[in-house]
Amino acid sequence: MIDESNARAWFDWALHEARKHGVGDVEMSLHASESALTRFANNTIHQNVSDESGAASIRVAIGKRTARVSTNRLDEASLRRATAQAIDLARANEEDPGLPPMAPPEAIAPGERWDAETAALSAEARAGAVREAIGAIGGSAAGIYSNERSTQFLLNSNGVFARHDETGATFSVTATASDSSGWAKASAVRAGDIDTLALARSASEKAALSKAPRRMDPGVYRVILEPAAVLDLVGQIFGDCSATALDEERSFLNGRFDERIFGSNITIRDDVRHPLQDGAPFDGEGVARRALTLFENGYPREMPYSRSAALRAGRPATGHGYALPNDVGESPVNVVIEGGSSTMPELMAKLGRGILVTRLWYIREVDPFRKVMTGMTRDGTFFVDGGEIQHGVRNFRFNVSVVDLLNAVEAMTAPGRASGEESFDMVVPAMLVGEFPFTEVTMF
Amino acid sequence: MRQLALDALELAKGRGVQYADVRVVESETQDLSTRNGRVSQVTGSDSTGIGIRILAEGAWGFAATDDLSRDGIDKAVFKARAIAKASAMAKLGDVVLAPEQSWTAEWDSPCAVDPFRISVQKKLDYLLKVDEALRSNKAVTLTETSFHGTRTRQWFANSEGSVIGQTRTVTGAGCACYVFKDGDLQKRSYPNSFGGQYQLKGWELIDEIDMLRRAPSLAEEAAMLHAADPCPAGEHPLILDSSQLGLQIHESIGHPIELDRVLGSEANYAGMSFLTLDQLRRLRYGSPMVHVVSDATIAHGPGLGTFAFDDEGVPAQRTDIIREGLFTGYLTSRESAGAIGENRSNGCMRAADWDRLPLIRMTNTSLEPGAQTLDEVFDVPHGIYMETNKSWSIDDKRYNFQFGCEAAWEIRDGRRVRMLKNPVYSGISTEFWNVCEAIANRDHWTLWGVPNCGKGQPEQVMGTGHGASPSRFRGIQTGAL
């Protein structure tokens, strides 16, 4: 793994090489990680992997021209060669009048995202937890148990020196019965915060409850979206929540910024310091991530600004920019959706008659301005009546506008950290949605 | 690199293994892009590392590292062996590999004009000209162009004596324009959406697709979409262009035939398949004119799924998947081939990079050309023609799909009579292929590259190839969204 002394030494090599070529503006990001993942299916471990890597990414700026070269060869000759290549690319590039100068240094409090036990979680420990999970499932079990540790640095010739250390673990499990399935997943900075056995039991219970699924007609239903379904669907809008997207007129917020766009019960923040969040407290240029209220009581409020976007707009950057040069500018990455006060049983009671959705799958954007998304339900879809699960149902296809969805939320649980497969991990509640359009039914 | 692979293999063999293979991979990439007349991305990268796969105690272990010192590799070997031991803690039976002979070979993919020898300045000049041509239409509000080049050199060695070197050069490019007006965002892309066309070629691909020639009409189409009527809802004869049909093949044939998915390996993530083992050589998967192959050989063309050997050291092969409409084959590996009674893998194990385990992946899964002329494919009294993918989604067993396209046209008596916007179509995989009633001939067949196919945990992004020509399907549900 990279430590502070070799980070500084490697940056000095790059800076020295750049100065040999008459270039003074250099930025280097360094990333080192060790990750491992145990994968199981059909009640046996079938894939079990580990990888260890490190990489340097060097950006140079020559006036208003810039370019980046990355390498995982971290010896002096390779880093000098990468720097020289970046200079060649930058010289071949066009001038970008909007290119900001290298970021200035600022004090950034470290994030508390490291857990030594998670960093050291062994293949044996993962296999033991997997064996226990398989034992808790009546049918066929499949899933993963992974852990990772990483260190990143960002340095530039203007004096920026930022460091972030992080661990993470993820457990995901699918229980499959003869004609049904159930799923559960959790991720955390600390593996000890994940109750793998409880997740396995939850997946198994869902598979049992959804056996012999019945076909229900497509139509508009009252629906409860569990947190993983909320994040996978609502997560599709955050690429549009960006000053650059608005500038380029590719955001669903274009022309609507002064309107109440979602229901008055919807407030969404971006907050890297939230205790359930993860990630570095600085962005791709080394700017400290500021907390933003993206939407407040349904109104758009604060958008992320990269340094380039901030320069164009004459306002401060918010610390959400991607490493330059890039095609997208900036976006929120630490989303927290404020929830409500309902418990899950209360949400079920309020639903009355409707559909409970565990998880969504293969979500794709159909209309970029109305934010219409299509996708499928998966691994635990239930008909609820009288606040109780009555039976499993065959999986539905939906075509839903996320804007309409967030105008139809009747009640929410308190938010918690959730993990899906179609968007990044977030802190979100379960939502009771008054109208949710299912357009087709599949064969299982 | 070759010696590094052999040295690592010797270290692995010394750890008491039943089988081991190693891959040393070195890659370099370059990405250039423009937006609205400005260069937005100029990046290069290189990466070198080794992946070591060990079968011991009847179970798999895999470790990868970019520390290529002897100590670094020894540590990775030790870790892979320890992981195999841990895997054995939760095994139901021993892994058994189908036999494969040992091979010694070296292979370079064809590349007429090395894309890394074309200057960055020349590439950017070309992209900026395309960008300018797109913006010549004043209605256009955002333009994008991109170039991607990758060269990957790999040495594979296994404990059965195979030593194989392969170098693959991939080039990709595309352009797109958006028109935002009155709360409606329309887009047209060329030669395909989501990055354009990708093939196992050099700069010659850029000359072939000739984006500069297409740019003005592309921008005009994006502007015209705003005034177009929505695609009508109902059941219609549907004609798909070859790029959209390539993705249809990918989703509704290519993924369901992955045998690991069928056997449950992907149950937690990418999903399973409706093609259960009892369907082999029994299921009517298409009309009699539907012939689909999985073909990784260079004879099939320079696809993203073209190679000489897969990442288990099995030679590239051509396998019938659907013959005269009958389902006849899966994509297999050495571990899974026995599940369908085969005594040899058909060579579909591919790893995204040195730090990833090989998985069963599509190679080039292609619809063979038909017998019809293009006029014959369009020869319907009334139908819908759709072009260029905009959205794609299919359930986790690969039955129910819905695709959206960037543009459509109403067809009357074989001719386009009006443009239609926001078109979508949906169906069930087998039902769709069973109503295929016209496939254009080889003159209109294109081997498309899908560079972004995701599968596995940790996720691996792989390039796959899909040959197709424009084809017609009877009674398909269409609409506008």
Side-chain angles (χ1 to χ4, degrees), chain A residues 287-334:
Chain A
V287 180
R289 292 190 186 280
R290 274 72 166 168
L292 299 176
T293 299
L294 302 168
F295 300 93
E296 186 175 34
N297 301 328
Y299 285 91
R301 290 293 189 224
E302 300 174 293
M303 289 294 110
Y305 280 78
S306 63
R307 293 181 68 248
S308 300
L311 200 63
R312 288 195 298 272
R315 52 178 299 159
T318 62
H320 295 82
Y322 291 102
L324 292 172
N326 68 70
D327 289 331
V328 290
E330 61 283 306
S331 73
V333 290
N334 297 101

Side-chain angles (χ1 to χ4, degrees), chain A residues 34 39 42 44-45 48 50 54 68 70-73 92 174 248 327 361-362 364 369 378 397 399 440 442, chain B residues 33 35 40 44 46 48 64 66 79 87 90 121 183 251 263 266 268-269 392-395 400 402 426:
Chain A
E34 185 171 2
R39 199 171 191 215
N42 298 316
T44 187
I45 292 175
N48 207 347
S50 169
R68 176 178 295 276
S70 304
T71 181
N72 71 342
R73 298 170 202 170
T174 302
E248 293 180 345
D327 289 331
W361 161 250
Y362 225 130
R364 292 294 183 274
F369 193 69
R378 178 178 173 182
R397 171 169 297 288
N399 280 280
E440 290 182 343
T442 191
Chain B
S33 62
R35 291 171 83 81
S40 56
D46 63 62
T48 309
D66 56 5
K79 196 184 286 184
S87 298
Q121 187 65 59
E251 301 291 357
L263 297 174
E266 293 284 335
N268 178 247
Y269 182 60
W392 67 105
S393 176
I394 190 164
D395 70 46
N400 175 283
Q402 177 181 298
S426 61

Side-chain angles (χ1 to χ4, degrees), chain B residues 49 94 163 219 248 250 294 459:
Chain B
D94 287 351
V163 183
Q248 176 80 48
H250 180 96
S294 166
E459 188 176 58

